[in-house]
Amino acid sequence: VQLQASGGGLVQAGGSLRLSCAASVSIFSINNMGWYRQAPGKQRELVASITSRGSTNYSDSVKGRFTISRDNKKNSVVLQMNSLKPEDTAVYYCKAEIKPPVGASYYYWGQGTQVTVSS
């Protein structure tokens, strides 16, 4: 499984960006997809995730500002980021989890995309 992330860039505080993560396989075969971010000197953290049934989870720091959704036609997951803050600056990564009928899950990461929010 390959994941291709896109949509990062430079934006002023209060602005918006839309990240997209396209999968090389049908996302119906992917159980969970999520966006993580890693700021310089910090650990990678979960930003938002979505299950195959559409259940979502957000970190407290982005609740009410970010929205994660699945685009089944494009086999992608989108992260709409509004009201961006300088502290949202980080490299954003998408991740996919596939749970086989038996055994442990498989995890796949996309390449990072830089998001920079200026004050």
Side-chain angles (χ1 to χ4, degrees):
V1 177
Q2 292 184 334
L3 303 174
Q4 181 69 42
S6 61
L10 173 64
V11 66
Q12 289 188 334
S16 299
L17 281 174
R18 183 181 174 91
L19 304 184
S20 180
C21 176
S24 62
V25 298
S26 169
I27 64 169
F28 290 108
S29 65
I30 300 175
N31 298 93
N32 299 299
M33 293 191 75
W35 285 96
Y36 290 70
R37 67 187 181 188
Q38 188 167 19
K42 294 188 177 181
Q43 290 188 336
R44 191 172 297 187
E45 62 175 358
L46 173 68
V47 175
S49 63
I50 185 167
T51 70
S52 57
R53 295 186 177 185
S55 296
T56 58
N57 181 51
Y58 297 92
S59 68
D60 289 341
S61 62
V62 307
K63 279 181 182 176
R65 301 188 296 122
F66 292 10
T67 303
I68 189 170
S69 61
R70 294 168 71 111
D71 186 336
N72 295 331
K73 291 184 178 179
K74 295 184 179 180
N75 288 328
S76 64
V77 171
V78 174
L79 184 68
Q80 178 65 43
M81 305 186 294
N82 299 327
S83 302
L84 283 161
K85 304 175 181 180
E87 50 263 44
D88 294 317
T89 295
V91 178
Y92 284 68
Y93 300 88
C94 62
K95 178 183 178 182
E97 177 188 11
I98 296 178
K99 298 179 180 179
V102 178
S105 292
Y106 295 91
Y107 298 96
Y108 304 88
W109 289 93
Q111 90 288 4
T113 184
Q114 177 70 47
V115 171
T116 303
V117 184
S118 63
S119 57

